[in-house]
Amino acid sequence: MTINRRDLALSTLAVSALALTTPALAASADEDAVTKKAEAFRIAQIAADPKALGALCWDDLSYSHSSGKVEDKATFVANATDGKSKFLSIDYKDPTIKVVGPAAIVRFHWMAEQEMAADGKKVSTNLHILMNWQRQSDEWRLLSRAATKL
């Protein structure tokens, strides 16, 4: 069997292209996984589901509101599911996800409407959100969240 320079160059190019796309495919799989977790979190917030919210967050969660109030996991889950208000809608607009090793930086424009149980008053929020997700083994969970009013 003889190998000419053209065949060698083509095989080298093919191997190089595969080496370059493999990390991109891995990042894409991680980005897809984080996207699914962020969507599950959004749905759990609308549903005020304490079990789902708890499962999506690390025990060391730091959850910061646009008011400056910071909650740990237990406080966040309790306040998000206490029934004092309910979300009518939550939209994550223009999301970006950047995976860096076992961490993912998620940013989006939050637009939501909730109804207060006490008086039926509807309140809209327009925020910029930064979420930090962390992977351990194959599981992505929310480690921190910060909000800024727009």
Side-chain angles (χ1 to χ4, degrees):
M1 173 165 147
T2 60
I3 299 176
N4 61 36
R5 278 192 261 180
R6 180 176 173 258
D7 291 337
L8 183 60
L10 287 175
S11 3
T12 302
L13 182 63
V15 169
S16 297
L18 182 60
L20 291 173
T21 59
T22 301
L25 292 176
S28 177
D30 283 337
E31 287 171 5
D32 288 346
V34 172
T35 298
K36 288 176 184 170
K37 290 293 184 168
E39 178 61 10
F41 190 84
R42 186 185 75 79
I43 291 168
Q45 280 186 297
I46 293 170
D49 182 340
K51 186 175 178 182
L53 287 170
L56 289 162
C57 300
W58 286 109
D59 289 341
D60 294 328
L61 175 70
S62 177
Y63 193 95
S64 176
H65 294 271
S66 61
S67 65
K69 181 172 77 169
V70 178
E71 299 172 329
D72 62 12
K73 178 181 176 178
T75 306
F76 161 68
V77 171
N79 288 340
T81 61
D82 65 8
K84 291 181 181 176
S85 68
K86 72 174 183 177
F87 281 106
L88 303 174
S89 66
I90 300 174
D91 290 318
Y92 290 2
K93 302 227 181 248
D94 305 319
T96 62
I97 297 172
K98 181 173 177 134
V99 174
V100 182
I105 301 164
V106 179
R107 294 179 182 271
F108 54 88
H109 180 180
W110 158 293
M111 296 185 72
E113 184 176 33
Q114 62 191 125
E115 183 176 46
M116 300 299 140
D119 58 8
K121 182 180 175 185
K122 293 182 181 174
V123 177
S124 296
T125 50
N126 186 11
L127 308 170
H128 229 310
I129 303 293
L130 167 64
M131 290 178 148
N132 292 294
W133 292 78
Q134 185 178 36
R135 179 184 63 221
Q136 188 171 37
S137 300
D138 288 335
E139 191 65 31
W140 286 97
R141 289 195 181 132
L142 183 63
L143 181 61
S144 65
R145 184 253 199 196
T148 304
K149 290 180 183 174
L150 291 177

